[in-house]
Amino acid sequence: MTVLTEPSSFDVQAVVDEVWTTFLGGEPLVPVAPDFDPAGTFPGSRWDAAVTVSGAWHGLIVVSVNDAVAHAVTQAMLGLDDGDTAAHEDVVDALGELVNVIGGNIKSLMDGPSKLSLPLVAQAPIQAGGIVETCRLDLAWGSHRVWVTVGTRDEGGTS
Amino acid sequence: MHALIIDDSRTMRSILRRIVVDLGFDVTEAGNGQEALTALEDGLEPDLCLIDWNMPLMDGYTFVTRVRADPRWRNITLMMVTTESEHGQIVRALAAGAHEYVIKPFTADAIVEKLELLGLAAQEVPA
Ligand SMILES: [Mg+2]
């Protein structure tokens, strides 16, 4: 039997909402029906930002957005004016900090002690071996989509 | 007044910078504990350090222990600003000599309130 102990979708949603509204203000995230197949083509050019948690709980937290959202998030976090375009390294840094804070707060939902990794940001899907997706949030931010997935290490025996 | 903001994220340093500049602080930034320690060794005299926990090279907890071990820096107020919210870590940081502990995400008001309690920002007088 495979036993997974993972944070609930409800708790993950609460963490993401709090972090998002605190840092980005304005438009809240609204849950929507899943409308893309992660195995299929990502709608728009993709940015993934991820942290891992290791210790009493082993997990992977990934925030996925398209290029427009990545830049909008960066602009908001850095307080840039509308006309200013965020540089590539600013986007990497802002998305990294966003997932760092979301991941740290998800870590605190689980029994510790455990350690949070430094963030990893890529313009490609981020996955980790031995981690199975245990929670996926499909969210709308205005006309854009934001995805948050939480994976938990498969402590599996025989899955 | 001078604040040293220590965080590996430039985005986070920029968010914190805007908050403390509004309170009248001059600001120096460092990307990790080692860089911050070097700045102190080089003679920087901040009144306040805002310190992230998870950073490359030297984490914020180690930075706090190093600062508290050196009498030259005993007057610096140390405030952790971190996503680490496990109870054990908060206790460890405060025991090591951090004066305050703020968990990310935070509002500007939360930081200002802590600084008021520490006597580093003017308390607003109720109308
Ligand atoms: Mg950090």
Side-chain angles (χ1 to χ4, degrees):
Chain A
M1 193 180 72
T2 299
V3 179
L4 296 177
T5 309
E6 70 251 3
S8 73
S9 295
F10 181 83
D11 288 341
V12 172
Q13 170 90 48
V15 164
V16 172
D17 278 345
E18 192 200 352
V19 174
W20 200 271
T21 45
T22 306
F23 279 149
L24 302 167
E27 199 110 32
L29 289 169
V30 179
V32 291
D35 60 355
F36 104 97
D37 170 12
T41 309
F42 191 84
S45 60
R46 177 174 188 153
W47 288 84
D48 271 17
V51 284
T52 59
V53 176
S54 51
W57 176 63
H58 287 265
L60 171 72
I61 296 106
V62 184
V63 175
S64 306
V65 294
N66 66 22
D67 204 49
V69 177
H71 277 84
V73 162
T74 307
Q75 280 214 316
M77 288 180 77
L78 281 172
L80 299 178
D81 293 327
D82 279 350
D84 297 339
T85 316
H88 179 89
E89 59 267 30
D90 290 334
V91 177
V92 171
D93 190 89
L95 293 181
E97 185 61 11
L98 185 68
V99 79
N100 173 53
V101 179
I102 289 173
N105 281 272
I106 290 174
K107 174 169 95 83
S108 71
L109 297 172
M110 308 299 292
D111 285 339
S114 49
K115 196 170 161 34
L116 191 67
S117 73
L118 294 175
L120 175 68
V121 178
Q123 286 183 279
I126 296 176
Q127 289 155 341
I131 298 278
V132 291
E133 185 180 301
T134 47
C135 164
R136 169 176 160 191
L137 303 178
D138 289 67
L139 305 161
W141 190 43
S143 59
H144 294 292
R145 289 285 184 274
V146 174
W147 292 272
V148 179
T149 56
V150 178
T152 295
R153 189 167 74 181
D154 189 348
E155 304 288 358
T158 55
S159 61
Chain B
M1 297 250 257
H2 198 111
L4 174 57
I5 298 175
I6 312 160
D7 197 302
D8 56 328
S9 165
R10 284 184 290 143
T11 308
M12 185 49 63
R13 295 200 302 269
S14 147
I15 290 170
L16 289 168
R17 171 188 278 270
R18 277 174 271 152
I19 295 169
V20 297
V21 162
D22 278 351
L23 295 171
F25 281 85
D26 295 322
V27 171
T28 302
E29 296 183 16
N32 58 68
Q34 185 57 60
E35 206 181 304
L37 213 52
T38 303
L40 296 183
E41 289 287 359
D42 288 348
L44 187 76
E45 292 180 357
D47 303 281
L48 167 71
C49 290
L50 300 173
I51 311 153
D52 185 24
W53 192 302
N54 293 307
M55 296 179 285
L57 298 178
M58 183 190 289
D59 65 33
Y61 173 77
T62 307
F63 174 80
V64 168
T65 60
R66 295 285 290 274
V67 169
R68 279 295 160 256
D70 194 315
R72 283 177 295 170
W73 302 324
R74 66 171 166 264
N75 291 328
I76 303 175
T77 299
L78 304 177
M79 183 157 120
M80 299 297 295
V81 183
T82 169
T83 188
E84 291 292 351
S85 47
E86 279 179 26
H87 179 71
Q89 282 177 287
I90 298 173
V91 170
R92 256 172 81 207
L94 295 174
H99 296 87
E100 266 296 353
Y101 199 105
V102 175
I103 295 166
K104 298 174 182 174
F106 53 79
T107 61
D109 286 348
I111 299 280
V112 172
E113 213 170 277
K114 297 279 190 191
L115 292 177
E116 285 173 355
L117 290 173
L118 291 165
L120 290 168
Q123 301 252 10
E124 254 178 67
V125 182

